[in-house]
DNA sequence: ACCCAGGGTCATA
DNA sequence: TATGACCATGGG
């Protein structure tokens, strides 16, 4: 259950409080794809170190990443954690990308086909796929994560535990009903996810209301 | 020392 | 469908 009419008011308050976030931190679609895998259950500060290593080794390149020995790749991304698993996942994703004609090939696919393809890669789940769709390819897709659930649940905007697809489609169609065009939704989804991450990093860890939360007293703890 | 972080897969019931 | 084990580093 989702009170989709409250999504935009909450968004406006977050934007007013934190300002424009200018996500994703990354210079190219390839870097965003790599970052999306590396950030799986990892702190972004650690992911940055891994990406610096890749750049310094002159290896943030589709062909190089595909051809590199898995162990060598694992060594470079070590600070991101789960380095053996993530080295394999990166190569799964990037070799599949090559087979589709590289990043340009992916950008030519329609959103539904691209999403299906990404989800078919071992190591790419719904959140990683949607990060890539939204931030690397600018598709109108809302990224659901643990923070999103925590925030919506504490605000009472979401009740129960809808699965990933149900929540994502609920939020997306909710903003269609609010009259947003496709480009507007893409921009809002981009900003919204970034703002939720900011909110939960600073205020909503596993603590009760800190008193400084920009969402104020409507936030109830515990829920997520 | 413990907990968590911008998840996902696989085995099991 | 729904848990649980597993992957592993670094910061609080």
């Amino acid at each position: 259950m989702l009170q989709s009419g409250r999504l935009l008011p909450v968004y406006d308050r977050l934007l007013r409080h934190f300002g424009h976030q200018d996500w994703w931190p990354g210079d190219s679609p390839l870097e965003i794809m790599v970052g999306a895998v590396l950030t799986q259950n990892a702190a972004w500060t650690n992911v940055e170190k891994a990406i610096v290593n890749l750049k310094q080794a002159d290896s943030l390149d589709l062909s190089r990443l595909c051809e590199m020995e898995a162990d060598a790749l694992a060594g470079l991304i070590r600070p991101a954690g789960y380095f053996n698993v993530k080295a394999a996942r990166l190569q799964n994703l990037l070799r599949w990308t090559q087979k589709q004609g590289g990043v340009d090939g992916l950008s030519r696919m329609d959103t539904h086909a691209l999403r299906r393809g990404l989800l078919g890669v071992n190591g790419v789940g719904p959140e990683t796929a949607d990060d890539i769709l939204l931030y690397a390819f600018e598709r109108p897709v809302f990224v659901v994560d643990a923070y999103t659930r925590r925030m919506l649940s504490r605000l009472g905007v979401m009740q129960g535990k809808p699965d990933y697809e149900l929540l994502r489609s609920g939020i997306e169609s909710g903003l269609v009903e609010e009259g947003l065009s496709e480009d507007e939704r893409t921009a809002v989804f981009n900003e919204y996810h970034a703002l939720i991450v900011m909110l939960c990093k600073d205020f909503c860890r596993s603590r009760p209301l800190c008193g400084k939360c920009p969402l104020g007293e409507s936030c109830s703890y515990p829920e997520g």
Side-chain angles (χ1 to χ4, degrees):
Chain A
M1 191 64 222
L2 185 69
Q3 300 177 13
S4 50
R6 295 176 59 193
L7 291 170
L8 283 179
V10 168
Y11 171 78
D12 287 336
R13 275 150 72 195
L14 288 173
L15 182 56
R16 205 118 42 212
H17 187 270
F18 290 107
H20 179 48
Q21 298 299 308
D22 196 29
W23 266 30
W24 179 289
D27 304 328
S28 66
L30 178 68
E31 183 174 337
I32 293 169
M33 294 172 74
V34 169
V37 170
L38 292 181
T39 199
Q40 289 172 358
N41 204 44
W44 181 254
T45 51
N46 290 344
V47 176
E48 285 181 315
K49 295 172 188 167
I51 290 179
V52 166
N53 288 348
L54 291 173
K55 286 181 172 173
Q56 286 184 348
D58 208 22
S59 297
L60 193 49
D61 170 88
L62 183 56
S63 306
R64 287 227 222 342
L65 289 170
C66 288
E67 293 160 11
M68 194 177 318
E69 289 296 325
D71 288 343
L73 179 53
L76 290 172
I77 64 173
R78 175 176 252 272
Y82 303 147
F83 45 82
N84 288 317
V85 174
K86 286 177 180 174
R89 289 179 179 178
L90 278 176
Q91 293 195 312
N92 292 342
L93 172 62
L94 298 176
R95 286 169 180 160
W96 173 78
T97 298
Q98 266 192 334
K99 218 165 14 177
Q100 310 308 311
V103 171
D104 290 338
L106 299 190
S107 66
R108 274 181 237 116
M109 296 170 66
D110 68 79
T111 299
H112 186 69
L114 182 51
R115 189 163 205 278
R116 277 211 117 2
L118 288 167
L119 289 175
V121 175
N122 187 302
V124 175
E127 183 177 341
T128 304
D130 289 341
D131 276 336
I132 293 170
L133 285 162
L134 177 61
Y135 291 107
F137 296 101
E138 300 176 2
R139 307 306 173 89
V141 166
F142 187 89
V143 178
V144 174
D145 65 348
Y147 287 155
T148 306
R149 293 175 176 279
R150 191 180 301 171
M151 184 192 78
L152 294 179
S153 173
R154 290 182 182 185
L155 291 173
V157 175
M158 177 192 79
Q159 290 129 14
K161 308 182 194 306
D163 65 34
Y164 188 96
E165 285 306 317
L166 192 60
L167 183 53
R168 180 179 70 87
S169 63
I171 293 173
E172 289 176 5
S173 56
L175 292 196
V176 170
E177 289 163 15
E178 297 291 319
L180 297 189
S181 71
E182 180 167 322
D183 286 346
E184 288 170 332
R185 291 195 316 270
T186 304
V188 169
F189 293 155
N190 179 319
E191 195 72 64
Y192 211 156
H193 178 65
L195 288 167
I196 290 172
V197 172
M198 286 304 116
L199 172 73
C200 290
K201 264 192 352 198
D202 290 352
F203 299 105
C204 299
R205 230 161 206 149
S206 46
R207 281 195 296 279
L209 257 191
C210 57
K212 296 181 290 188
C213 178
L215 293 175
E217 297 143 28
S218 51
C219 175
S220 68
Y221 175 88
E223 290 298 336

